[in-house]
Amino acid sequence: MNNESLHADLNPRQIDREERLIAAVRDTLVRRRDTLRLQVPVDLERSIRMALAEERSVPAKESWVQRAIDWIRQPSVSFGMAAATLALIVGLAVLGQRSDALPRELTHAALAAFPGVHSGSTKLDIMSSDKQQISAYLASHGVQHAVFYPEVDAELAGANVFSVNGLPCAELVYKKAKHTIALLQVDDASIDAKRVEMDPIVAEDVAYSKWHWASTPDNGTLFVWKSNSIMCTVVSDLQIDEVSSLFKLEAL
Amino acid sequence: MHMEELRKEFETEALPHMSALYSFAVRLTRDRDDAADLVQETYLKAYRFFDKFERGTNCKAWLFRILKNSYINRFRKSSKAPDTVEYDAIEEFYETIRDSSVETSVLEEQVFENALDDEVANAIESLPEEFRTVIILCDIEGFTYEEIAEFIDCPIGTVRSRLHRARKLLAGSLAEYARKRGFELPHSGTSPESAIPERSLNNEQ
């Protein structure tokens, strides 16, 4: 936006006066920057420094997600995984079907399912934007809970059924231009029964602050929350800000 | 990087921004206790993920982004509703000042220079969140338009127009404070007294 559009419909004298008023306001704020900025209370500063010191004194409480990401990043593992993936692709091509089994931990499962879905190498089990049709398909393939469809500013492309520790789990797949938002759902009862595991840090975040947000190593997003007794895990190649702007967070 | 080096770097890079974060958090949450929680959470997250911080980029902007994400996570749903203010009335009042025939070039500077710190703070506080955020980030915290655009996830043109409107609203509010303190203002418009929020008039801290 240029100055002309900011001063639309004003005569030259009004423009001149407006510019002086705006400049005077800006100068006032800049000049008073230090006094307008509230000082952090001493007890808060002390508390933060103590919390940081405590954080240093205990071994890092690394989440399972982080451990998985770090493990995958090791060169030998990356090479091994690349070889294994290639072998898997060849094997699946021969068998003409994909493996539906995912890791037992929820966020691991969602992260593991994502690359294939995003790249297109995992074909969607059902390609449809019709929620009723998708729900019917998922129910007929063993998903026992009512599927939750959040309000997302993206196109519903379809769904998959993956197996987590033998439990059929629904994954909804949304597309926003070339980006993918994959939402894996597991009902609360399956987590309570330990059929599907959950990273304790993620579980704590969801219980305490409703949502867990994390960045994936390739600058994507992992986003976990619970709606209607369904634990929902989103993985996307979009960044956190972008994902959060697509969801009506207040409605989740 | 070694843990000890990381710790020292964190203390040098991140801790000096504590007041800026706290000040912004107070204006975001409108509650000092919530703001304190938010800042503490921000620092703990920043410390845990400091190895992910891209060296050479703006650490303050990185901390502000973490704070904003934590705010979305924890506080947005329960945050205090902003005061209801008739912004149209303030803008109308501003227009009467802008359109006045007085040619004194120092008038605005005098009006704003004489404003009390509390008046300026209250005028900022009374802005709607979208305007308050850009004016604090730009004029008080000194972020660039690009950094603000990234922070609020909007095009730079939106940042410019929000800043312009925010400064106009502030000009109207500050002029009204000045009028109440007996400062002669060259306008003939109707005073938008009812448009200034009660908390601003009371000079409440």
Side-chain angles (χ1 to χ4, degrees):
Chain A
M1 182 173 287
N2 57 27
N3 281 344
E4 266 177 37
S5 56
L6 288 175
H7 297 302
D9 303 329
L10 298 183
N11 65 41
R13 194 187 62 79
Q14 287 173 319
I15 291 174
D16 177 56
R17 187 138 171 83
E18 178 147 305
E19 283 181 350
R20 279 194 285 122
L21 279 167
I22 296 292
V25 168
R26 188 187 56 229
D27 292 347
T28 299
L29 297 182
V30 171
R31 206 169 40 244
R32 296 178 187 221
R33 198 171 261 180
D34 291 338
T35 49
L36 287 173
R37 184 185 288 148
L38 303 174
Q39 290 304 303
V40 64
V42 178
D43 56 343
L44 174 60
E45 182 171 355
R46 191 184 307 126
S47 157
I48 288 172
R49 286 180 184 277
M50 281 172 65
L52 292 175
E54 237 171 69
E55 188 81 2
R56 288 193 291 272
S57 67
V58 293
K61 192 182 169 191
E62 207 173 36
S63 78
W64 296 5
V65 180
Q66 194 56 49
R67 283 204 299 267
I69 288 167
D70 290 345
W71 181 72
I72 288 167
R73 276 177 160 174
Q74 290 175 42
S76 59
V77 175
S78 300
F79 181 76
M81 281 187 73
T85 306
L86 187 64
L88 189 65
I89 290 168
V90 172
L92 290 178
V94 170
L95 291 171
Q97 61 179 38
R98 69 162 201 255
S99 167
D100 292 330
L102 292 176
R104 190 171 173 177
E105 196 278 322
L106 187 62
T107 53
H108 274 72
L111 285 166
F114 184 75
V117 173
H118 180 48
S119 67
S121 63
T122 303
K123 299 291 176 206
L124 294 177
D125 291 338
I126 174 169
M127 290 178 74
S128 171
S129 57
D130 184 327
K131 294 173 186 172
Q132 283 187 336
Q133 198 182 352
I134 291 176
S135 291
Y137 176 88
L138 295 171
S140 70
H141 284 75
V143 175
Q144 291 180 347
H145 59 82
V147 178
F148 175 64
Y149 296 90
E151 284 190 58
V152 190
D153 182 17
E155 190 190 340
L156 180 59
N160 286 315
V161 181
F162 285 109
S163 168
V164 178
N165 193 26
L167 179 78
C169 296
E171 184 196 52
L172 301 179
V173 178
Y174 295 84
K175 286 283 180 183
K176 181 81 174 175
K178 60 179 182 181
H179 302 289
T180 306
I181 301 115
L183 165 54
L184 186 69
Q185 304 190 1
V186 174
D187 64 321
D188 226 6
S190 301
I191 293 170
D192 289 345
K194 305 278 181 203
R195 191 153 179 199
V196 178
E197 291 178 351
M198 207 170 160
D199 180 331
I201 291 179
V202 175
E204 189 183 306
D205 257 8
V206 172
Y208 182 52
S209 58
K210 186 166 172 149
W211 299 309
H212 172 86
W213 294 90
S215 289
T216 59
D218 46 1
N219 218 15
T221 299
L222 175 78
F223 168 33
V224 188
W225 82 97
K226 191 161 88 172
S227 280
N228 304 339
S229 303
I230 309 291
M231 197 61 77
C232 300
T233 304
V234 158
V235 179
S236 175
D237 57 312
L238 290 162
Q239 292 183 23
I240 289 178
D241 278 2
E242 296 167 320
V243 173
S244 67
S245 69
L246 293 180
F247 282 83
K248 281 202 172 167
L249 296 179
E250 291 81 3
L252 295 182
Chain B
M1 190 183 285
H2 190 271
M3 282 299 288
E4 187 58 19
E5 286 174 47
L6 208 61
R7 181 188 67 79
K8 280 185 182 158
E9 192 189 353
F10 186 80
E11 286 186 354
T12 315
E13 288 279 329
L15 292 188
H17 304 302
M18 215 180 274
S19 285
L21 285 165
Y22 175 71
S23 189
F24 186 66
V26 168
R27 294 197 165 111
L28 208 55
T29 60
R30 296 169 183 264
D31 183 293
R32 286 171 191 248
D33 290 337
D34 285 349
D37 287 347
L38 192 53
V39 174
Q40 177 128 1
E41 185 179 326
T42 299
Y43 270 106
L44 281 175
K45 282 186 178 168
Y47 185 72
R48 283 172 192 165
F49 294 103
F50 193 54
D51 57 328
K52 307 278 187 303
F53 167 63
E54 201 178 317
R55 268 60 186 174
T57 59
N58 187 343
C59 184
K60 184 174 165 184
W62 182 69
L63 290 167
F64 268 66
R65 277 202 300 278
I66 296 174
L67 184 136
K68 186 191 77 168
N69 285 332
S70 301
Y71 170 70
I72 291 172
N73 261 0
R74 185 164 296 191
F75 291 101
R76 171 155 283 177
K77 224 180 155 212
S78 59
S79 67
K80 280 70 186 167
D83 299 326
T84 306
V85 183
E86 294 293 336
Y87 297 101
D88 290 347
I90 294 182
E91 282 195 319
E92 198 179 300
F93 181 58
Y94 160 82
E95 279 159 18
T96 65
I97 305 163
R98 182 196 62 203
D99 296 346
S100 70
S101 59
V102 171
E103 297 300 329
T104 317
S105 62
V106 293
L107 180 73
E108 296 79 35
E109 287 82 350
Q110 282 177 358
V111 167
F112 300 142
E113 224 163 67
N114 286 328
L116 303 173
D117 285 338
D118 286 351
E119 290 173 345
V120 180
N122 285 339
I124 294 172
E125 183 82 7
S126 306
L127 291 170
E129 183 179 329
E130 64 197 60
F131 298 130
R132 194 169 68 237
T133 300
V134 290
I135 208 133
I136 292 171
L137 293 178
C138 183
D139 292 342
I140 299 179
E141 298 306 338
F143 286 116
T144 64
Y145 286 2
E146 285 80 5
E147 286 167 341
I148 298 169
E150 193 182 326
F151 183 88
I152 62 173
D153 202 17
C154 279
I156 287 181
T158 307
V159 173
R160 280 185 207 283
S161 63
R162 282 190 192 172
L163 265 176
H164 189 76
R165 189 148 181 236
R167 287 171 180 151
K168 278 165 59 172
L169 285 168
L170 280 181
S173 295
L174 293 177
E176 175 62 7
Y177 279 123
R179 190 191 65 78
K180 285 178 178 301
R181 282 189 287 107
F183 200 94
E184 284 295 320
L185 285 171
H187 76 93
S188 55
T190 311
S191 159
E193 192 165 333
S194 58
I196 306 295
E198 197 61 34
R199 57 188 304 170
S200 305
L201 296 176
N202 291 342
N203 235 3
E204 177 186 296
Q205 264 303 290

